[in-house]
Every structure is written in structure tokens, then in C-alpha cells.
Amino acid sequence: MRFPDRSALDARLQALAFLLREGRAWLASLGMMLAALVLLPFLPLGVGLYGVPRLLQVLNQLAARAQGRAAGFAGAVIPFDRRRLSGRHSFGELAALVSAAETRRDVSWLLFHCAFALVAGVLAVGLPAAALLNVAAAPFWMLFPADAPLDLAFPVTSWASAGMTVLLGLAYGVAAWLLLPWMARRLGDGTLAILSPRRYAELSRRISDLSAARASALTAHAAELRRIERELHDGAQNRLVGVVMMLGLAQRAAETDPAAAVPFMARAQDAATEALAGLREAVHDIYPPILDELGLDGAASALTSRSPVPAALDARGLRRAPAAVESAAYFVLAEALTNAAKHSGASQIEVLLHTDSTQREDVLVVQVKDDGRGGAAVPAGDGAVVPVRGARNGRGTGLDGIARRAAAFGGKLILASPEGGPTVVRVELPCAF
């Protein structure tokens, strides 16, 4: 693994800081190991199964943080998203979690970290401290009484022993200079190697994700076609039929009494105007022209200004995205505002639009927060939806449509809606789908 070019001193300081962080995190790893050992005898009795989900959640968080620290030190990019564990699980789901490949990697990392992180942390502190103490204290051996001499690696009672102590301190310093970066690299590389899935496993997961996204995209596309067909059939088509009928009646009336044809012509004109408005609305729902004219921030401002519930918009961190992604974000925001107005009973809505930039890709985030009654939930079956936090048997809110639209772009819906509110709908749309 290649590390970024840094000066020798800066590299050592970075390695020292990384080892100290890992040494401090060793306490959490040890606590996790002890908790697992305490829980293990109760698993055959069935009682211990109640503690397994929480234990796996904590282990997953510890491993994710360790992976982030190692990637930050190595300048590496983590090319995958870790799983999120929350909610309740059936016995079958629990068994699948325990036997999952990611759980096995997390447990392997825990054993590795418990074995080596403390040693690395102690050496990171001990070697520089020993070097500094021996070199700095040895020349002052004369200040100590003869019956209580300076005692470091050995008693210092003469300039010869003081010189030996200084040389030993320099040896400690050289060892720290050479050993600490090596230990940091080994610990960081080991963490990333253990917690990173094998190439074939990552490719398999990616294929599954792409298959799910493709299915969601096809479902969303079919739903859009059905909606457009209904709007054209029930709206513009019926009005155009009315135009033809009115023109036919006007033609017959004009043959006998031209003045009687005028009302029919007026009604035909009104029907044609309504049909044109319906066609414009259908075309607008395919791709809103306002996105081309004003961009997503301007289109979002227009949506929030028309919201029945007062809505505040913050789009300061927003950058341009591909047209398809901006269109999806526009409709997600429109649906979320409609849901909040219809179902939440809110008096205020906060809308946040911004772009999260990572080394992997840019992610367009649409977040809508209302101060309503809460309790919203997403119907089961949308694989891209993160389990709802704090929501009970929710009322129908149309959030499943938002989830499907996000999944079509490889994105996800994150919903937090405890009873009593507030409700936060957050949709993340990758810009490099």
C-alpha cells in the first residue's frame, strides 16, 4: 500500500499519533472481547441471544472507526459502504448476521486489535519517553546523593555510566525512529486487510446492488409510464375528444344558423386550452423546465415557496449534478413536501440541499425536516431503505415512492420519525451513478 509522501519527521509524528489512538482504542476492544466472553456461555441457553444484536452493533461501530482511522493514516479510500445494523431481528435473521462474512471479519479484527494495539501503544509511548529520559537525565547524575544514585536502566554513578546511559537513550531514539512507522504501517495495513472484503465478495455484492438498482429503475420507469398514460388518457385525451365534439356541433350549427355556432366554438376553445395545460403538466412531470432555467436550487426555492406549510430552504452547500440526478432530487423534494403537508400536521419545514464530496464520489443530499407528529414509516420490501429509527406502525405517507426513486440511482432513504416528531427524511443520491 502506498502512503502519501511526507517529510521524515512528519511521517514519524503521524505514525506516533496513529499508534497512540490505537492504544487508546484498545480499551474499547478489550471491553468488547470481555463482553463477548461473558455472553458466550449463555448462548446455548437462548438467553444470550437477546444481547447478540446490540453486541454486533457495537462491534460493527468499533470496526468501522478502526477502518476509518487506518484509511486516514494510510491515505487509502474505502471502496465500499459498511452495513448498518438496527432494529429487531428474527431468529433466522440473527443467525444470518452472526454467520455473515462481515461479522467474521469484524471478529478477526477484534482478535488482531486486542493482541497488537496495546503493544504498539505502549511502545509508541515508551520508546520516545525512554530516549528522552536517558539522554536528558544522565548528565545530571552528580546531583543525586551517593546512597541514592540516579537509577535508569542501571545506576548512574560515574561519567562512564552516564555516557552509557546516553548511548542507550540514543539507541531507544533510533529504535523509535525506525520502529514506530513500521509498526503503524503494519497495524494500519492489517486493519484494512482484515476488514476489507475479498475482491470476489465485493464484486458479488456490487453486482447484487446493481441488480437491485436496475430492478428499482425499471419499476420506477414503469410507474412513470403508467402515470403519464393515465394523465394523457384521463386528462388531455378526454378534453381533445370534447374539442372534436364541440367543433362537430359548431359545424352543424353553422350550416343552419351561424350565430348558434359561436357558443360551441367558445367551448371548443376552452377545452383545447385545458388540453394544452394538461399536456404541459404531463411534460413538466417528465423533466421540469425550471431545472434548466434556474438549476436545482432555484427549482427547490419555487417548490418551498408554494408549500402549504411554511418551509425554509438552505442550499448553500449545493453543487450542480447530472440532469437525471437533479430531476430525481426535484421530485423527491416535491413528494416529501407534499407528504409533510398532508400527513405530518407540521407548522414548519426545514429543507437542506447540499453535496457531500468524498474520495469515491459526490453525493447529492436532500433532507426535509418537519416538526409534526412523527410516526412515519416505509412499507417493507424496499431493499434500499435503511430501517426506520423510532417509527412504529406508520401511516401511509408515500415514502415508498421516494425510496424506489432513490434506489433507481443507487441511493438510499434514511428516515427518522419517532412518535411525537420531528420527522427527518434524508435521501442520498450518488452523482456518479
Side-chain angles (χ1 to χ4, degrees):
M1 180 177 297
R2 295 185 60 187
F3 289 79
D5 294 330
R6 297 175 292 205
S7 67
L9 179 59
D10 184 53
R12 268 78 184 168
L13 293 176
Q14 293 281 354
L16 177 62
F18 174 70
L19 291 175
L20 291 177
R21 287 195 297 268
E22 292 304 309
R24 183 178 59 186
W26 177 84
L27 293 174
S29 298
L30 179 63
M32 183 69 199
M33 178 71 74
L34 294 176
L37 292 176
V38 170
L39 185 64
L40 188 61
F42 296 96
L43 290 179
L45 303 177
V47 180
L49 292 176
Y50 293 100
V52 170
R54 181 58 182 166
L55 203 66
L56 290 179
Q57 290 176 22
V58 175
L59 176 59
N60 186 66
Q61 292 172 1
L62 291 178
R65 292 172 184 171
Q67 195 173 37
R69 293 193 301 268
F73 171 70
V77 178
I78 302 175
F80 59 91
D81 294 324
R82 291 187 60 84
R83 62 182 177 180
R84 302 189 185 192
L85 300 177
S86 61
R88 297 181 177 179
H89 304 278
S90 65
F91 180 80
E93 292 171 339
L94 193 58
L97 283 176
V98 172
S99 61
E102 191 159 359
T103 300
R104 294 196 298 270
R105 290 195 297 268
D106 290 349
V107 172
S108 299
W109 165 82
L110 183 65
L111 296 173
F112 169 78
H113 198 257
C114 285
F116 297 106
L118 178 62
V119 176
V122 169
L123 290 178
V125 174
L127 287 177
L132 181 62
L133 181 62
N134 280 274
V135 172
F140 299 98
W141 66 274
M142 293 183 300
L143 301 179
F144 291 81
D147 56 343
L150 175 64
D151 193 359
L152 295 173
F154 46 81
V156 182
T157 58
S158 64
W159 281 111
S161 58
M164 293 295 297
T165 302
V166 171
L167 290 176
L168 182 60
L170 293 176
Y172 283 139
V174 172
W177 184 265
L178 298 176
L179 191 59
L180 294 187
W182 180 84
M183 286 193 304
R185 286 194 296 269
R186 298 288 77 76
L187 191 59
D189 289 353
T191 297
L192 293 176
I194 293 172
L195 293 177
S196 299
R198 299 296 177 264
R199 185 64 177 172
Y200 67 86
E202 173 60 17
L203 288 175
S204 176
R205 188 192 67 83
R206 183 60 176 164
I207 290 172
S208 298
D209 291 345
L210 290 175
S211 298
R214 178 178 178 274
S216 297
L218 292 175
T219 301
H221 179 66
E224 287 295 311
L225 290 179
R226 288 194 298 269
R227 179 189 59 79
I228 295 172
E229 190 275 335
R230 285 196 303 270
E231 289 185 358
L232 294 177
H233 181 273
D234 299 338
Q237 179 175 308
N238 289 341
R239 295 186 180 96
L240 289 174
V241 170
V243 171
V244 173
M245 292 177 59
M246 291 301 105
L247 289 176
L249 293 174
Q251 182 180 7
R252 293 180 182 179
E255 293 175 354
T256 57
D257 185 3
V262 174
F264 294 112
M265 296 293 293
R267 292 171 63 182
Q269 183 179 12
D270 293 340
T273 302
E274 293 177 359
L276 181 59
L279 288 173
R280 285 176 176 171
E281 184 177 353
V283 173
H284 176 275
D285 288 343
I286 297 173
Y287 186 81
I290 193 172
L291 285 176
D292 277 336
E293 298 170 4
L294 302 179
L296 181 56
D297 52 348
S301 178
L303 283 176
T304 53
S305 65
R306 295 197 302 265
S307 172
V309 180
L313 173 63
D314 182 359
R316 287 173 293 183
L318 181 65
R319 293 196 297 273
R320 292 307 301 262
V325 177
E326 289 192 343
S327 177
Y330 176 86
F331 288 117
V332 162
L333 177 57
E335 183 66 27
L337 290 174
T338 301
N339 289 339
K342 288 184 177 179
H343 304 288
S344 69
S347 60
Q348 181 68 35
I349 298 175
E350 298 177 6
V351 177
L352 174 64
L353 295 176
H354 69 98
T355 304
D356 283 343
S357 295
T358 66
Q359 291 178 307
R360 293 176 56 193
E361 61 187 353
D362 288 345
V363 177
L364 177 58
V365 177
V366 181
Q367 180 171 300
V368 179
K369 178 180 179 181
D370 67 67
D371 59 357
R373 65 178 69 94
V378 179
D382 291 325
V385 182
V386 175
V388 179
R389 300 190 296 272
R392 300 178 184 173
N393 295 329
R395 296 166 287 277
T397 58
L399 291 172
D400 53 338
I402 294 178
R404 285 195 298 269
R405 191 181 291 273
F409 287 84
K412 55 193 172 186
L413 164 65
I414 303 173
L415 174 65
S417 184
E419 290 291 346
T423 294
V424 179
V425 177
R426 179 184 175 92
V427 175
E428 299 178 358
L429 300 172
C431 294
F433 65 94

